[in-house]
Amino acid sequence: MSSDLYQEAAVAALQAGQPNVAASLRAESLQQPPLQPFPDPWLAALRAFDVSGGVDSTTADQLRGQGRLSEAATRLAALARRFPDRSRPALNLALARRDQGQLEQALDDLQKLAERFPTDPLVHFHLAVTLAQLGRQDAATSSLHTCLQIKPDYGLARSALADLLAAGGRLSEALSEAERAVADSPSELWVHFGQVRLLLAGGQLSRARTVLDQAASLPAAGGAGEQAELRRLLEDLEAADRGSQGGAK
């Protein structure tokens, strides 16, 4: 261990928002004997890893969450240039552009990413979502099939495929895909929501109520957005139920 290594670790701790740890490591560095001319493989590895990349990525995610999309895109663009061998910085940059409404630019970025990282299911999933937003349903469906070939148990991607099938009038196939999506990702709340919407579209109100009750009991159901969606689906279910009873009369 060298004083330089302690100092590098202190910088990393400070960047990660741990000032007390940074102060302790800095104090420890001062207790080390003067650095002798010998190789320090740990120090070289730490500098090669460049911990600021992880910190910048976290900061960019926080900026996106705060709606500061332009700042997030700027930071992510720098990360993508620094780490061209990683898919996530460039993917997050594409998503930030999509959030800003730059759909064509986001699509171009995602298509290039899919060529560079052909086995990354998350890239193909977001490529499909962006294609669907642009109204290119057939291409979106193709991208989802590619995604599911790579990761067959990707519930959210299968749920998106179910939505596309339903939009194309293939409700029976959509319901089958939605059922499998829930089986693959039982803890993913929005997959359950997707199944409920399709069951409502198919008039399967009793089954829809059962799935909605199950979804409401999941730990993830406590979020504000999730609660709002639960209320919307319950209102839709009650309206469909009233309509069904009225029709029976």
Side-chain angles (χ1 to χ4, degrees):
M1 297 293 288
S2 67
S3 61
D4 278 6
L5 179 55
Y6 276 107
Q7 289 172 16
E8 289 287 332
V11 170
L14 189 61
Q15 290 176 327
Q18 301 177 28
N20 293 335
V21 175
S24 175
L25 290 166
R26 171 65 177 164
E28 188 69 30
S29 76
L30 299 175
Q31 302 301 315
Q32 300 303 309
L35 182 63
Q36 300 298 317
F38 67 90
D40 187 339
W42 291 105
L43 180 59
L46 181 61
R47 285 174 169 160
F49 177 73
D50 188 0
V51 72
S52 64
V55 174
D56 280 349
S57 181
T58 300
T59 302
D61 288 342
Q62 292 171 345
L63 290 170
R64 280 186 66 204
Q66 295 165 5
R68 298 159 65 181
L69 301 177
S70 179
E71 295 173 66
T74 298
R75 191 176 290 266
L76 288 166
L79 273 173
R81 288 193 296 271
R82 286 171 55 198
F83 303 109
D85 58 328
R86 301 183 193 174
S87 64
R88 289 301 176 266
L91 173 60
N92 288 336
L93 173 59
L95 300 186
R97 286 174 170 160
R98 191 174 71 190
D99 290 344
Q100 290 178 290
Q102 301 175 22
L103 292 181
E104 292 290 352
Q105 179 64 59
L107 176 62
D108 184 61
D109 291 347
L110 289 164
Q111 286 174 329
K112 291 175 181 175
L113 267 178
E115 292 174 2
R116 289 171 51 207
F117 302 96
T119 60
D120 189 331
L122 193 60
V123 170
H124 290 285
F125 170 72
H126 283 293
L127 174 58
V129 170
T130 307
L131 286 164
Q133 289 178 330
L134 287 165
R136 305 179 191 179
Q137 308 299 335
D138 290 344
T141 300
S142 177
S143 290
L144 285 173
H145 281 304
T146 300
C147 172
L148 289 167
Q149 286 172 359
I150 299 167
K151 185 174 173 55
D153 61 346
Y154 195 163
L156 201 57
R158 196 167 294 281
S159 180
L161 177 60
D163 288 341
L164 288 176
L165 289 170
R170 299 159 64 182
L171 185 57
S172 178
E173 294 175 65
L175 285 167
S176 296
E177 293 292 350
E179 188 81 27
R180 181 172 173 183
V182 169
D184 288 340
S185 300
S187 62
E188 177 59 63
L189 189 60
W190 292 92
V191 170
H192 290 270
F193 288 162
Q195 184 185 20
V196 171
R197 285 191 291 270
L198 292 176
L199 288 168
L200 287 173
Q204 299 184 34
L205 305 187
S206 176
R207 176 65 175 145
R209 187 175 296 278
T210 299
V211 174
L212 192 59
D213 289 342
Q214 292 171 345
S217 68
L218 292 174
E226 288 76 8
Q227 282 294 311
E229 184 65 14
L230 277 169
R231 287 193 295 271
R232 280 192 292 269
L233 288 172
L234 183 57
E235 290 170 0
D236 291 345
L237 176 58
E238 291 173 347
D241 199 28
R242 288 193 298 271
S244 174
Q245 292 174 3
K249 292 178 181 179

